[in-house]
Amino acid sequence: MKFFNNFIKILLLLSITNLYAHKLDKVSLQLQWKHQFEFAGFYAAKEKGFFKNVGLDVEFLEYDSAKSISQEVLEGRAEYGLSYSSIVAEYLEGKPLVLVANFFKQSPLVLIAQDNIESPKELKGKKIMGVSDSIDNITLLLMLDKFGLKTKDIINIPASFKIDEFINKKIDAMSAFTTNELYYLNKKGIKYTIFDPVVYGAKYYDVNLFTSKIEILQNPQRVQRFKEASIRGWEYALKHKEEIVEIILQKYNTQNKSKEALLFEAKQIEQLMLSNIYKVGSIDKDRVKIIADSFMQAGFVKKIKNRDIEAFIFDSSAFSISFSQKEKEYLEKKKEITMCVDPNWMPFEALVNGEYKGLNSEFLKLFQKELPIPIKVIKTDSWSESIKLAKEKKCDVLSLFMQTKEREKYFNFPTPYLDVPPVIVTKTDKASVIDIHTIGKEKIAVVKDYALVDIIKKKYKNLEVVEVKNTQDGLRKVEDGEVFGFAGSSVAIEYNFQHGEYSSFKISAHFDEKLSFGFGVREDDIYLYNILQKLVQKLSEEDKHDILKKYFTIKYEQKFDYFLFYQLFATMFIIAIIFFYRSRKIKKLNEALQEKMEAELKKSSDKDKMLFHQNKLSAMGEMLENIAHQWRQPLSQINSSVLLIDDILHEKNFRNIDVEERLLEIESLTKYLSNTINDFKDFFAHNKKRNNFLLREMIEKSIYIVKGSLKENNIEVSVEIEQDYRYYGYESELQQVVLVLLNNAKEALVNRSIKTPIINIYIELEDEFYIIKICDNAGGITKNIREKIFEPYFTTKHKSKGTGLGLYMSKKIIEESMDGELNVNNQNKGVCFEIKLKVVDE
């Protein structure tokens, strides 16, 4: 009998253990090709634990030409798939598919031709490998169509994706991927001509993550988890290319690619993802509609059954929360969820007379509504004590807990729901800094056991961390001179500024990182992890906005039009005041610097030599440093105002593509302004690094920065680039020059009231030199102006609109940093600036 009782106890113990086991959902991802860096983000999500952290065990299925990718998903052999833009056409024809995320904003598919072929129109009657009437070739077909060519006009050779026939000149051209075949051609020194459909307007998505409607209906939270983990994987892969390449070589290298080939592919893919412009994984509905229209117009869709593009794109907010049967059983047995918090961290959270207060308490109320059991806050005296209790499993959850590698040993981390920027605050007598690495060997106070402690110790080794009990303790140490500054959340610091005696303090530096806060869950409790993950996913942007409003005193009117007008007016008025105040400071600074530089320049009649003499470089560097200090805070406040405007519009369900584009443009411009000083400082540096980049993409980025003012003045920009030329040099400096030339052309066209203003940009290859021409039709310039146009301080503008340093600095950058030439001449009905750069091997 005793044996029997013990046996029953063992069975009960095993069943309880099984209940709390880390059971993961097994799902499959059907790839659109063989293993390579093209799928690096998904490998990273698996190998770095991002899939596991959201309760997923993912298997990768390699491409099989005998199988249809979409059918593998629709028939349940894979839950998720990756495909080309052809997935849009399949949806239009009636297949119950849903687009979850997009990763490549441009397709890597191009045509490469023998180097004696200079234009796609010369391909008529030629042997071309891999160009059929298949929908997967639509980008190539549309490009050929622009030159009057159909597939019947060429000799189509079935695709093998082997370059030997091209090298041996058995074929005239072939379809290829910029991520793959170009590496092998370059390595063998084979000359070729690239015809990129993107240059001719054929812009299609690639590496599209999709699933079936059945998966969406049955497992909406799982789809969201898969999407979020995939995005995190790609963000990691782009930052750690070499690490992921090593993982591919060890585990996924079925094609036997070399490390060098995979790294080449990684660099190409980063350019295709355009992650500096678009959020990783984002989908532009208007772009998808354009793709759909092009498929229908080209006749690739035989019978249109689905026209609703909105229904084709996954929207996680449309699904309500639902717990699995095991999760419900878990909650029923659990009775309550215990949570440890930071007892003294307002406005985020605090224990006030035993009551949980602060911003996070509002989030907790929302989460509590979805739970059948209470969340109980455990009283502690410090954040360190809260972490200690959580490690001892005396509380189930930590609130507002940031993920770090060390913490992953003890906790699992659902998706964060609150992001805040960290800053360093000092006394006002300390100099502001642009780069925290330049502070020097200084003591910085940080609250003990905050994630920021690990960030500073690992990345900012110049700083000595002094751990303190809480924010007030850290600020007191700054005030008493025990430490140089205090590092923490900008929101918490600002709260203490408003409620404490810290009038002699200022924010002196901003970190590059963001602090992302969410739940930290005991690592042995996967059910609670999954439950909290669902609660966070259910959290809407409206919910977040409502909570933030309570703590940041944004008042709202009832009538939409008046509200929007007054709120926007108030925001712009605040910005104007900020700039008025800053401009007065900058004006005084500039006057002092102007006097200093003029005094120096009077010592020599040769201004060029004197300006670029070493001590003048030092003066220029000092000026740039001071201006940068003045710019940082207003630029940060402009970005904050943009976020506020975006919140207001979102609150009122106001959707307008033009407004959204302008807001994105403001963000891009402020980022550009923030980087400008650093770029010019780099010009004076001796340790600058060259990089390999596409001239076409550099031009596109430059146009994007000024597109708002060009559009406002109805200025057309025409870009003609024969090939995808790659240049090895200083990309940021070259972009600065292009921006100067674009702005000069714009001002000339506007000032002269040209009826049909146009800027033409050409890039050509002539005798081992890249020639970049930026021309306008503003009527040209006289000979006496041409002779002086590159002199320092020469300008035809009013002194309030220009200093004359733009073209002067541009010429110095091209000729001294890049060993090239910058010239100007009149052509046709306008002026043409010509940049001449020698082709340089990496």
Side-chain angles (χ1 to χ4, degrees):
M1 188 67 180
K2 184 177 180 181
F3 171 80
F4 179 77
N5 287 337
N6 288 337
F7 180 73
I8 294 298
K9 287 179 181 178
I10 292 171
L11 287 179
L12 287 171
L13 180 62
L14 288 173
S15 65
I16 293 171
T17 305
N18 184 59
L19 176 64
Y20 289 90
H22 288 229
K23 186 175 181 181
L24 305 177
D25 284 351
K26 290 189 176 182
V27 295
S28 299
L29 174 64
Q30 175 63 60
L31 307 181
Q32 66 192 77
W33 191 243
K34 307 292 184 182
H35 286 302
Q36 53 190 14
F37 199 91
E38 182 178 359
F39 313 115
F42 305 103
Y43 305 146
K46 183 179 178 73
E47 302 299 331
K48 303 307 294 183
F50 302 145
F51 281 137
K52 183 180 179 181
N53 288 346
V54 295
L56 298 175
D57 179 6
V58 180
E59 178 188 8
F60 302 125
L61 305 176
E62 269 196 303
Y63 174 75
D64 183 343
S65 60
K67 298 176 181 178
S68 162
I69 295 174
S70 61
Q71 286 305 119
E72 291 299 295
V73 173
L74 290 174
E75 293 173 11
R77 288 182 289 277
E79 284 75 21
Y80 304 96
L82 298 171
S83 181
Y84 308 100
S85 285
S86 54
I87 198 71
V88 179
E90 294 189 70
Y91 168 77
L92 294 172
E93 290 179 336
K95 290 186 177 181
L97 301 168
V98 178
L99 181 61
V100 177
N102 163 258
F103 294 99
F104 288 14
K105 303 306 174 189
Q106 295 177 357
S107 170
L109 187 62
V110 298
L111 268 183
I112 55 172
Q114 301 294 348
D115 64 332
N116 63 321
I117 298 175
E118 298 180 350
S119 169
K121 66 183 177 183
E122 297 176 30
L123 294 172
K124 187 173 184 178
K126 302 290 187 182
K127 293 180 180 179
I128 305 178
M129 177 186 286
V131 180
S132 64
D133 284 321
S134 165
I135 193 170
D136 292 337
N137 287 317
I138 188 168
T139 56
L140 302 179
L141 297 173
L142 289 174
M143 177 181 67
L144 293 175
D145 186 63
K146 288 182 179 290
F147 292 89
L149 296 179
K150 306 291 183 184
T151 51
K152 63 182 179 62
D153 298 317
I154 62 174
I155 302 171
N156 182 41
I157 307 297
S160 67
F161 291 103
K162 294 180 179 178
I163 60 174
D164 292 342
E165 292 181 60
F166 182 84
I167 293 173
N168 297 328
K169 300 194 174 181
K170 292 182 179 179
I171 56 175
D172 300 292
M174 65 179 288
S175 62
F177 291 93
T178 57
T179 52
N180 190 35
E181 284 79 12
L182 296 195
Y183 166 77
Y184 298 103
L185 290 174
N186 292 346
K187 190 174 181 181
K188 293 177 179 291
I190 304 300
K191 293 184 178 181
Y192 53 85
T193 303
I194 294 182
F195 300 126
D196 189 345
V198 173
V199 175
Y200 302 98
K203 296 183 178 181
Y204 285 77
Y205 280 167
D206 204 343
V207 185
N208 297 292
L209 176 63
F210 72 96
T211 189
S212 64
K213 280 199 173 180
I214 291 177
E215 175 73 1
I216 292 290
L217 293 171
Q218 293 181 349
N219 301 293
Q221 281 80 25
R222 184 165 74 182
V223 176
Q224 180 66 15
R225 285 184 280 136
F226 193 99
K227 174 184 176 180
E228 289 177 354
S230 299
I231 290 171
R232 287 189 68 189
W234 268 113
E235 289 172 343
Y236 187 92
L238 292 176
K239 292 178 182 176
H240 304 85
K241 299 183 190 70
E242 292 212 12
E243 179 186 346
I244 302 304
V245 164
E246 290 295 338
I247 289 173
I248 294 172
L249 289 170
Q250 293 169 18
K251 295 188 175 184
Y252 301 101
N253 197 16
T254 56
Q255 297 191 77
N256 295 317
K257 284 193 169 187
S258 66
K259 181 178 180 178
E260 186 182 21
L262 288 167
L263 286 172
F264 174 87
E265 183 186 3
K267 290 180 180 178
Q268 296 289 94
I269 282 172
E270 186 172 27
Q271 293 168 357
L272 294 170
M273 292 183 72
L274 300 176
S275 57
N276 290 331
I277 301 174
Y278 302 100
K279 287 184 178 179
V280 174
S282 64
I283 299 172
D284 184 336
K285 292 180 181 179
D286 293 325
R287 179 96 170 261
V288 176
K289 287 177 182 177
I290 291 170
I291 292 171
D293 289 343
S294 70
F295 283 145
M296 292 186 282
Q297 179 68 26
F300 281 111
V301 181
K302 306 300 181 192
K303 191 175 182 181
I304 302 170
K305 294 183 179 179
N306 291 327
R307 290 183 179 271
D308 186 2
I309 296 299
E310 297 280 341
F312 175 53
I313 299 172
F314 175 63
D315 180 8
S316 58
S317 64
F319 303 95
S320 60
I321 192 169
S322 63
F323 297 123
S324 69
Q325 185 59 38
K326 287 187 177 181
E327 288 166 349
K328 290 176 183 177
E329 292 172 0
Y330 167 87
L331 290 169
E332 188 176 344
K333 292 179 181 180
K334 184 73 176 167
K335 303 302 180 186
E336 69 178 14
I337 298 168
T338 55
M339 183 172 78
C340 288
V341 304
D342 190 329
N344 189 14
W345 193 33
M346 288 296 283
F348 293 110
E349 60 181 4
L351 291 173
V352 182
N353 298 323
E355 186 178 355
Y356 187 48
K357 297 279 190 178
L359 184 150
N360 197 52
S361 69
E362 303 295 335
F363 284 104
L364 199 65
K365 290 174 185 176
L366 289 179
F367 298 142
Q368 186 67 77
K369 289 178 182 179
E370 303 290 341
L371 291 169
I373 61 175
I375 300 176
K376 180 183 177 182
V377 176
I378 304 297
K379 184 181 182 302
T380 60
D381 293 325
S382 68
W383 179 238
S384 295
E385 183 185 351
S386 291
I387 293 179
K388 181 175 178 292
L389 289 180
K391 287 182 178 179
E392 294 171 354
K393 301 182 180 178
K394 293 179 181 178
C395 54
D396 303 310
V397 178
L398 279 165
S399 67
L400 297 182
F401 200 43
M402 183 173 170
Q403 184 173 1
T404 67
K405 195 159 189 177
E406 178 63 28
R407 291 173 174 179
E408 288 171 359
K409 298 175 184 177
Y410 305 97
F411 303 97
N412 287 322
F413 295 86
T415 302
Y417 55 86
L418 193 61
D419 290 333
V420 295
V423 297
I424 291 178
V425 62
T426 67
K427 298 184 77 172
T428 53
D429 60 349
K430 303 295 184 184
S432 298
V433 295
I434 301 171
D435 186 347
I436 293 176
H437 291 98
T438 65
I439 289 178
K441 296 286 185 181
E442 297 285 0
K443 292 182 179 180
I444 300 293
V446 190
V447 176
K448 186 179 180 182
D449 289 322
Y450 274 15
L452 196 53
V453 172
D454 292 334
I455 292 173
I456 294 174
K457 285 182 176 179
K458 288 179 181 177
K459 185 173 179 180
Y460 304 97
K461 298 185 184 297
N462 54 308
L463 303 180
E464 180 185 342
V465 173
V466 176
E467 296 188 68
V468 295
K469 184 176 180 181
N470 52 45
T471 300
Q472 291 86 349
D473 185 23
L475 292 175
R476 278 194 294 270
K477 286 188 182 297
V478 177
E479 192 168 41
D480 295 340
E482 295 180 42
V483 295
F484 172 81
F486 172 75
S489 151
S490 59
V491 177
I493 289 172
E494 182 65 27
Y495 179 86
N496 281 274
F497 279 7
Q498 293 173 4
H499 294 79
E501 300 297 326
Y502 302 112
S503 59
S504 61
F505 283 22
K506 68 173 182 177
I507 292 174
S508 293
H510 296 74
F511 288 86
D512 294 332
E513 296 80 5
K514 284 192 305 184
L515 301 178
S516 298
F517 297 119
F519 288 114
V521 186
R522 283 170 42 176
E523 54 85 24
D524 63 337
D525 200 338
I526 192 65
Y527 285 118
L528 183 55
Y529 168 85
N530 287 334
I531 289 166
L532 294 180
Q533 178 68 21
K534 289 179 179 180
L535 295 180
V536 173
Q537 289 171 358
K538 177 69 163 49
L539 194 65
S540 68
E541 290 301 315
E542 286 80 7
D543 292 334
K544 291 183 184 180
H545 296 157
D546 290 341
I547 291 171
L548 293 172
K549 280 187 292 184
K550 292 182 182 180
Y551 285 83
F552 299 103
T553 60
I554 303 172
K555 296 182 179 179
Y556 293 86
E557 301 287 342
Q558 293 299 316
K559 293 183 180 179
F560 170 73
D561 290 340
Y562 287 104
F563 161 78
L564 190 60
F565 172 77
Y566 288 126
Q567 192 68 51
L568 293 175
F569 178 80
T571 301
M572 297 311 296
F573 182 68
I574 291 168
I575 294 172
I577 290 173
I578 292 167
F579 268 99
F580 176 73
Y581 172 72
R582 291 293 175 183
S583 65
R584 292 194 64 176
K585 279 194 170 184
I586 293 172
K587 183 179 178 182
K588 290 180 180 179
L589 177 63
N590 284 342
E591 287 173 354
L593 289 169
Q594 184 73 18
E595 289 177 6
K596 182 178 179 180
M597 293 191 70
E598 285 178 357
E600 291 291 325
L601 289 170
K602 285 178 183 177
K603 296 177 184 178
S604 172
S605 60
D606 190 345
K607 291 185 178 181
D608 284 2
K609 291 180 180 178
M610 285 299 294
L611 183 60
F612 277 85
H613 192 266
Q614 184 60 44
N615 61 351
K616 305 309 172 294
L617 290 177
S618 177
M620 182 69 79
E622 181 185 341
M623 178 182 74
L624 294 172
E625 187 79 27
N626 283 308
I627 292 174
H629 295 162
Q630 298 295 330
W631 280 16
R632 284 293 180 190
Q633 190 171 346
L635 286 174
S636 175
Q637 288 172 306
I638 290 173
N639 263 331
S640 298
S641 298
V642 170
L643 292 173
L644 176 62
I645 294 170
D646 192 42
D647 284 349
I648 294 167
L649 297 178
H650 193 90
E651 166 74 18
K652 293 298 180 179
N653 292 321
F654 180 83
R655 296 297 305 276
N656 183 287
I657 292 174
D658 290 335
V659 172
E660 290 177 1
E661 283 187 353
R662 285 303 175 93
L663 291 176
L664 286 172
E665 187 177 341
I666 292 172
E667 288 187 48
S668 296
L669 286 169
T670 52
K671 183 177 180 182
Y672 162 69
L673 287 171
S674 183
N675 290 333
T676 297
I677 290 291
N678 289 337
D679 290 338
F680 273 106
K681 283 174 65 184
D682 287 344
F683 172 60
F684 298 114
H686 297 290
N687 59 347
K688 295 180 291 188
K689 291 185 179 180
R690 299 173 184 263
N691 66 297
N692 206 307
F693 61 94
L694 291 173
L695 292 174
R696 171 181 55 77
E697 287 191 356
M698 181 275 299
I699 293 290
E700 287 178 350
K701 290 177 187 176
S702 303
I703 295 171
Y704 180 81
I705 289 171
V706 296
K707 72 173 185 178
S709 58
L710 296 174
K711 184 178 180 181
E712 183 180 352
N713 292 288
N714 298 313
I715 298 173
E716 179 186 348
V717 178
S718 171
V719 180
E720 294 184 23
I721 303 175
E722 292 181 350
Q723 296 183 32
D724 239 351
Y725 296 121
R726 187 172 292 280
Y727 179 67
Y728 183 65
Y730 305 114
E731 182 177 8
S732 293
E733 292 187 2
L734 184 56
Q735 185 175 343
Q736 292 284 353
V737 174
V738 171
L739 284 167
V740 168
L741 300 182
L742 286 172
N743 278 313
N744 277 9
K746 179 205 73 176
E747 290 173 5
L749 292 164
V750 172
N751 292 338
R752 297 183 183 182
S753 301
I754 304 301
K755 290 184 178 180
T756 55
I758 185 170
I759 299 174
N760 293 299
I761 302 174
Y762 310 90
I763 300 183
E764 303 166 346
L765 179 62
E766 293 182 5
D767 300 325
E768 300 302 317
F769 285 92
Y770 292 128
I771 308 297
I772 304 173
K773 295 181 181 179
I774 299 178
C775 310
D776 60 52
N777 63 336
I781 52 179
T782 60
K783 183 180 179 182
N784 64 320
I785 290 178
R786 284 204 309 274
E787 291 173 350
K788 299 178 181 179
I789 201 165
F790 294 115
E791 292 181 7
Y793 302 109
F794 175 80
T795 179
T796 59
K797 308 171 190 174
H798 187 273
K799 65 180 181 180
S800 65
K801 294 186 177 180
T803 63
L805 279 173
L807 288 173
Y808 170 68
M809 292 292 289
S810 296
K811 192 170 180 69
K812 288 293 180 183
I813 287 171
I814 295 299
E815 295 186 352
E816 296 190 6
S817 273
M818 297 187 170
D819 197 24
E821 296 178 16
L822 175 59
N823 298 303
V824 62
N825 56 73
N826 288 331
Q827 286 188 9
N828 299 326
K829 297 181 180 180
V831 69
C832 203
F833 283 90
E834 181 180 287
I835 302 169
K836 187 175 182 181
L837 302 171
K838 186 172 180 60
V839 178
V840 180
D841 293 328
E842 184 174 352

